PDB file of all heavy atoms in Angstrom:
ATOM      1  N   VAL A  52     109.593  76.310  91.864  1.00 77.00           N
ATOM      2  CA  VAL A  52     110.103  77.259  92.845  1.00 77.00           C
ATOM      3  C   VAL A  52     110.837  76.528  93.963  1.00 77.00           C
ATOM      4  O   VAL A  52     110.674  75.331  94.147  1.00 77.00           O
ATOM      5  CB  VAL A  52     108.958  78.101  93.469  1.00 77.00           C
ATOM      6  CG1 VAL A  52     108.336  79.010  92.425  1.00 77.00           C
ATOM      7  CG2 VAL A  52     107.917  77.212  94.098  1.00 77.00           C
ATOM      8  N   CYS A  53     111.644  77.288  94.703  1.00 82.00           N
ATOM      9  CA  CYS A  53     112.434  76.717  95.799  1.00 82.00           C
ATOM     10  C   CYS A  53     111.681  76.760  97.124  1.00 82.00           C
ATOM     11  O   CYS A  53     112.299  76.725  98.189  1.00 82.00           O
ATOM     12  CB  CYS A  53     113.752  77.477  95.934  1.00 82.00           C
ATOM     13  SG  CYS A  53     114.854  77.235  94.533  1.00 82.00           S
ATOM     14  N   GLY A  54     110.367  76.839  97.064  1.00 86.00           N
ATOM     15  CA  GLY A  54     109.551  76.835  98.273  1.00 86.00           C
ATOM     16  C   GLY A  54     108.959  78.204  98.565  1.00 86.00           C
ATOM     17  O   GLY A  54     109.365  79.216  97.997  1.00 86.00           O
ATOM     18  N   GLU A  55     107.980  78.212  99.461  1.00 92.00           N
ATOM     19  CA  GLU A  55     107.325  79.439  99.884  1.00 92.00           C
ATOM     20  C   GLU A  55     107.289  79.488 101.401  1.00 92.00           C
ATOM     21  O   GLU A  55     107.243  78.458 102.080  1.00 92.00           O
ATOM     22  CB  GLU A  55     105.889  79.509  99.351  1.00 92.00           C
ATOM     23  CG  GLU A  55     105.772  79.715  97.848  1.00 92.00           C
ATOM     24  CD  GLU A  55     105.971  81.156  97.417  1.00 92.00           C
ATOM     25  OE1 GLU A  55     105.748  82.068  98.248  1.00 92.00           O
ATOM     26  OE2 GLU A  55     106.350  81.375  96.253  1.00 92.00           O
ATOM     27  N   LYS A  56     107.307  80.692 101.928  1.00 94.00           N
ATOM     28  CA  LYS A  56     107.163  80.905 103.358  1.00 94.00           C
ATOM     29  C   LYS A  56     105.891  81.717 103.611  1.00 94.00           C
ATOM     30  O   LYS A  56     105.731  82.809 103.064  1.00 94.00           O
ATOM     31  CB  LYS A  56     108.379  81.660 103.909  1.00 94.00           C
ATOM     32  CG  LYS A  56     108.285  81.985 105.393  1.00 94.00           C
ATOM     33  CD  LYS A  56     109.507  82.783 105.830  1.00 94.00           C
ATOM     34  CE  LYS A  56     109.389  83.204 107.290  1.00 94.00           C
ATOM     35  NZ  LYS A  56     110.564  84.015 107.718  1.00 94.00           N
ATOM     36  N   ILE A  57     104.985  81.164 104.414  1.00 96.00           N
ATOM     37  CA  ILE A  57     103.749  81.848 104.760  1.00 96.00           C
ATOM     38  C   ILE A  57     103.808  82.233 106.230  1.00 96.00           C
ATOM     39  O   ILE A  57     104.088  81.384 107.083  1.00 96.00           O
ATOM     40  CB  ILE A  57     102.515  80.952 104.522  1.00 96.00           C
ATOM     41  CG1 ILE A  57     102.567  80.318 103.131  1.00 96.00           C
ATOM     42  CG2 ILE A  57     101.231  81.761 104.707  1.00 96.00           C
ATOM     43  CD1 ILE A  57     102.505  81.284 101.992  1.00 96.00           C
ATOM     44  N   THR A  58     103.571  83.500 106.527  1.00 97.00           N
ATOM     45  CA  THR A  58     103.613  83.989 107.903  1.00 97.00           C
ATOM     46  C   THR A  58     102.242  84.505 108.320  1.00 97.00           C
ATOM     47  O   THR A  58     101.636  85.317 107.622  1.00 97.00           O
ATOM     48  CB  THR A  58     104.646  85.122 108.062  1.00 97.00           C
ATOM     49  OG1 THR A  58     105.929  84.651 107.640  1.00 97.00           O
ATOM     50  CG2 THR A  58     104.740  85.571 109.510  1.00 97.00           C
ATOM     51  N   TYR A  59     101.751  84.004 109.456  1.00 98.00           N
ATOM     52  CA  TYR A  59     100.507  84.486 110.062  1.00 98.00           C
ATOM     53  C   TYR A  59     100.879  85.398 111.227  1.00 98.00           C
ATOM     54  O   TYR A  59     101.713  85.040 112.043  1.00 98.00           O
ATOM     55  CB  TYR A  59      99.678  83.346 110.638  1.00 98.00           C
ATOM     56  CG  TYR A  59      99.230  82.260 109.703  1.00 98.00           C
ATOM     57  CD1 TYR A  59     100.140  81.405 109.079  1.00 98.00           C
ATOM     58  CD2 TYR A  59      97.868  82.025 109.489  1.00 98.00           C
ATOM     59  CE1 TYR A  59      99.721  80.376 108.254  1.00 98.00           C
ATOM     60  CE2 TYR A  59      97.431  80.988 108.668  1.00 98.00           C
ATOM     61  CZ  TYR A  59      98.357  80.173 108.054  1.00 98.00           C
ATOM     62  OH  TYR A  59      97.942  79.132 107.248  1.00 98.00           O
ATOM     63  N   ARG A  60     100.202  86.529 111.333  1.00 97.00           N
ATOM     64  CA  ARG A  60     100.345  87.400 112.496  1.00 97.00           C
ATOM     65  C   ARG A  60      98.953  87.688 113.048  1.00 97.00           C
ATOM     66  O   ARG A  60      98.115  88.267 112.356  1.00 97.00           O
ATOM     67  CB  ARG A  60     101.070  88.694 112.136  1.00 97.00           C
ATOM     68  CG  ARG A  60     102.552  88.484 111.842  1.00 97.00           C
ATOM     69  CD  ARG A  60     103.297  89.800 111.623  1.00 97.00           C
ATOM     70  NE  ARG A  60     104.732  89.589 111.538  1.00 97.00           N
ATOM     71  CZ  ARG A  60     105.378  89.258 110.436  1.00 97.00           C
ATOM     72  NH1 ARG A  60     104.714  89.090 109.317  1.00 97.00           N
ATOM     73  NH2 ARG A  60     106.684  89.083 110.458  1.00 97.00           N
ATOM     74  N   LEU A  61      98.719  87.275 114.281  1.00 97.00           N
ATOM     75  CA  LEU A  61      97.403  87.407 114.894  1.00 97.00           C
ATOM     76  C   LEU A  61      97.397  88.572 115.883  1.00 97.00           C
ATOM     77  O   LEU A  61      98.362  88.786 116.622  1.00 97.00           O
ATOM     78  CB  LEU A  61      97.010  86.127 115.635  1.00 97.00           C
ATOM     79  CG  LEU A  61      96.644  84.910 114.779  1.00 97.00           C
ATOM     80  CD1 LEU A  61      97.866  84.215 114.211  1.00 97.00           C
ATOM     81  CD2 LEU A  61      95.821  83.915 115.601  1.00 97.00           C
ATOM     82  N   LYS A  62      96.270  89.287 115.886  1.00 96.00           N
ATOM     83  CA  LYS A  62      96.098  90.400 116.813  1.00 96.00           C
ATOM     84  C   LYS A  62      94.671  90.390 117.337  1.00 96.00           C
ATOM     85  O   LYS A  62      93.723  90.442 116.541  1.00 96.00           O
ATOM     86  CB  LYS A  62      96.395  91.736 116.117  1.00 96.00           C
ATOM     87  CG  LYS A  62      96.240  92.949 117.015  1.00 96.00           C
ATOM     88  CD  LYS A  62      96.530  94.226 116.243  1.00 96.00           C
ATOM     89  CE  LYS A  62      96.348  95.450 117.133  1.00 96.00           C
ATOM     90  NZ  LYS A  62      96.589  96.708 116.359  1.00 96.00           N
ATOM     91  N   GLU A  63      94.511  90.309 118.642  1.00 96.00           N
ATOM     92  CA  GLU A  63      93.179  90.296 119.242  1.00 96.00           C
ATOM     93  C   GLU A  63      92.549  91.678 119.123  1.00 96.00           C
ATOM     94  O   GLU A  63      93.135  92.684 119.529  1.00 96.00           O
ATOM     95  CB  GLU A  63      93.262  89.894 120.718  1.00 96.00           C
ATOM     96  CG  GLU A  63      91.902  89.758 121.384  1.00 96.00           C
ATOM     97  CD  GLU A  63      91.984  89.267 122.816  1.00 96.00           C
ATOM     98  OE1 GLU A  63      93.084  89.414 123.422  1.00 96.00           O
ATOM     99  OE2 GLU A  63      90.996  88.740 123.321  1.00 96.00           O
ATOM    100  N   MET A  64      91.358  91.737 118.545  1.00 95.00           N
ATOM    101  CA  MET A  64      90.638  92.994 118.383  1.00 95.00           C
ATOM    102  C   MET A  64      89.626  93.182 119.511  1.00 95.00           C
ATOM    103  O   MET A  64      89.601  94.206 120.178  1.00 95.00           O
ATOM    104  CB  MET A  64      89.934  93.034 117.026  1.00 95.00           C
ATOM    105  CG  MET A  64      90.893  92.910 115.841  1.00 95.00           C
ATOM    106  SD  MET A  64      90.027  92.839 114.258  1.00 95.00           S
ATOM    107  CE  MET A  64      89.319  94.483 114.174  1.00 95.00           C
ATOM    108  N   THR A  65      88.762  92.179 119.709  1.00 92.00           N
ATOM    109  CA  THR A  65      87.829  92.157 120.827  1.00 92.00           C
ATOM    110  C   THR A  65      87.853  90.744 121.407  1.00 92.00           C
ATOM    111  O   THR A  65      88.598  89.887 120.926  1.00 92.00           O
ATOM    112  CB  THR A  65      86.389  92.503 120.365  1.00 92.00           C
ATOM    113  OG1 THR A  65      85.904  91.450 119.510  1.00 92.00           O
ATOM    114  CG2 THR A  65      86.371  93.824 119.617  1.00 92.00           C
ATOM    115  N   ALA A  66      86.993  90.512 122.396  1.00 92.00           N
ATOM    116  CA  ALA A  66      86.951  89.179 123.003  1.00 92.00           C
ATOM    117  C   ALA A  66      86.515  88.111 121.999  1.00 92.00           C
ATOM    118  O   ALA A  66      86.842  86.941 122.166  1.00 92.00           O
ATOM    119  CB  ALA A  66      86.000  89.182 124.200  1.00 92.00           C
ATOM    120  N   GLY A  67      85.795  88.521 120.956  1.00 91.00           N
ATOM    121  CA  GLY A  67      85.279  87.545 119.999  1.00 91.00           C
ATOM    122  C   GLY A  67      85.756  87.731 118.576  1.00 91.00           C
ATOM    123  O   GLY A  67      85.280  87.049 117.671  1.00 91.00           O
ATOM    124  N   THR A  68      86.706  88.615 118.340  1.00 94.00           N
ATOM    125  CA  THR A  68      87.239  88.824 116.984  1.00 94.00           C
ATOM    126  C   THR A  68      88.763  88.932 117.013  1.00 94.00           C
ATOM    127  O   THR A  68      89.326  89.541 117.929  1.00 94.00           O
ATOM    128  CB  THR A  68      86.660  90.096 116.323  1.00 94.00           C
ATOM    129  OG1 THR A  68      86.929  91.230 117.163  1.00 94.00           O
ATOM    130  CG2 THR A  68      85.171  89.965 116.090  1.00 94.00           C
ATOM    131  N   THR A  69      89.401  88.355 116.020  1.00 96.00           N
ATOM    132  CA  THR A  69      90.865  88.363 115.912  1.00 96.00           C
ATOM    133  C   THR A  69      91.272  88.709 114.494  1.00 96.00           C
ATOM    134  O   THR A  69      90.749  88.144 113.535  1.00 96.00           O
ATOM    135  CB  THR A  69      91.447  86.980 116.278  1.00 96.00           C
ATOM    136  OG1 THR A  69      90.973  86.600 117.574  1.00 96.00           O
ATOM    137  CG2 THR A  69      92.964  87.010 116.273  1.00 96.00           C
ATOM    138  N   GLU A  70      92.188  89.653 114.348  1.00 97.00           N
ATOM    139  CA  GLU A  70      92.688  90.039 113.030  1.00 97.00           C
ATOM    140  C   GLU A  70      93.841  89.118 112.631  1.00 97.00           C
ATOM    141  O   GLU A  70      94.731  88.835 113.439  1.00 97.00           O
ATOM    142  CB  GLU A  70      93.167  91.492 113.025  1.00 97.00           C
ATOM    143  CG  GLU A  70      93.648  91.965 111.654  1.00 97.00           C
ATOM    144  CD  GLU A  70      94.160  93.389 111.667  1.00 97.00           C
ATOM    145  OE1 GLU A  70      94.838  93.760 112.660  1.00 97.00           O
ATOM    146  OE2 GLU A  70      93.900  94.119 110.717  1.00 97.00           O
ATOM    147  N   ILE A  71      93.804  88.661 111.384  1.00 96.00           N
ATOM    148  CA  ILE A  71      94.856  87.790 110.860  1.00 96.00           C
ATOM    149  C   ILE A  71      95.541  88.490 109.689  1.00 96.00           C
ATOM    150  O   ILE A  71      94.888  88.854 108.711  1.00 96.00           O
ATOM    151  CB  ILE A  71      94.297  86.441 110.357  1.00 96.00           C
ATOM    152  CG1 ILE A  71      93.285  85.850 111.350  1.00 96.00           C
ATOM    153  CG2 ILE A  71      95.433  85.479 110.055  1.00 96.00           C
ATOM    154  CD1 ILE A  71      93.857  85.447 112.666  1.00 96.00           C
ATOM    155  N   GLU A  72      96.848  88.690 109.805  1.00 97.00           N
ATOM    156  CA  GLU A  72      97.635  89.223 108.689  1.00 97.00           C
ATOM    157  C   GLU A  72      98.430  88.081 108.084  1.00 97.00           C
ATOM    158  O   GLU A  72      99.163  87.388 108.779  1.00 97.00           O
ATOM    159  CB  GLU A  72      98.576  90.327 109.162  1.00 97.00           C
ATOM    160  CG  GLU A  72      99.413  90.916 108.025  1.00 97.00           C
ATOM    161  CD  GLU A  72     100.459  91.897 108.517  1.00 97.00           C
ATOM    162  OE1 GLU A  72     100.126  93.081 108.677  1.00 97.00           O
ATOM    163  OE2 GLU A  72     101.611  91.461 108.749  1.00 97.00           O
ATOM    164  N   LEU A  73      98.268  87.874 106.792  1.00 97.00           N
ATOM    165  CA  LEU A  73      98.970  86.812 106.079  1.00 97.00           C
ATOM    166  C   LEU A  73      99.988  87.415 105.121  1.00 97.00           C
ATOM    167  O   LEU A  73      99.668  88.364 104.388  1.00 97.00           O
ATOM    168  CB  LEU A  73      97.976  85.967 105.275  1.00 97.00           C
ATOM    169  CG  LEU A  73      97.056  85.027 106.053  1.00 97.00           C
ATOM    170  CD1 LEU A  73      95.957  84.519 105.135  1.00 97.00           C
ATOM    171  CD2 LEU A  73      97.824  83.873 106.648  1.00 97.00           C
ATOM    172  N   GLN A  74     101.178  86.860 105.115  1.00 96.00           N
ATOM    173  CA  GLN A  74     102.219  87.287 104.178  1.00 96.00           C
ATOM    174  C   GLN A  74     102.878  86.062 103.573  1.00 96.00           C
ATOM    175  O   GLN A  74     103.086  85.066 104.263  1.00 96.00           O
ATOM    176  CB  GLN A  74     103.270  88.153 104.885  1.00 96.00           C
ATOM    177  CG  GLN A  74     102.769  89.509 105.325  1.00 96.00           C
ATOM    178  CD  GLN A  74     103.865  90.361 105.951  1.00 96.00           C
ATOM    179  OE1 GLN A  74     104.770  89.842 106.603  1.00 96.00           O
ATOM    180  NE2 GLN A  74     103.802  91.655 105.757  1.00 96.00           N
ATOM    181  N   SER A  75     103.179  86.157 102.290  1.00 95.00           N
ATOM    182  CA  SER A  75     103.907  85.067 101.631  1.00 95.00           C
ATOM    183  C   SER A  75     105.114  85.636 100.907  1.00 95.00           C
ATOM    184  O   SER A  75     105.088  86.771 100.417  1.00 95.00           O
ATOM    185  CB  SER A  75     102.993  84.337 100.628  1.00 95.00           C
ATOM    186  OG  SER A  75     102.804  85.119  99.465  1.00 95.00           O
ATOM    187  N   ALA A  76     106.157  84.837 100.848  1.00 93.00           N
ATOM    188  CA  ALA A  76     107.386  85.223 100.142  1.00 93.00           C
ATOM    189  C   ALA A  76     108.095  83.959  99.687  1.00 93.00           C
ATOM    190  O   ALA A  76     108.031  82.929 100.362  1.00 93.00           O
ATOM    191  CB  ALA A  76     108.295  86.044 101.049  1.00 93.00           C
TER     192      ALA A  76
END
């Protein structure tokens, strides 16, 4: 393959938890 791109998107849910969205293309 000609490479992959991985994108992380972080969103704070509470003071002690964070949501992570991962996407690859």
Side-chain angles (χ1 to χ4, degrees):
V52 293
C53 293
E55 290 280 336
K56 177 182 176 182
I57 311 296
T58 303
Y59 301 65
R60 289 186 172 85
L61 288 78
K62 180 181 179 182
E63 184 176 21
M64 299 176 67
T65 67
T68 56
T69 305
E70 183 182 39
I71 315 295
E72 181 186 274
L73 288 167
Q74 291 183 327
S75 75

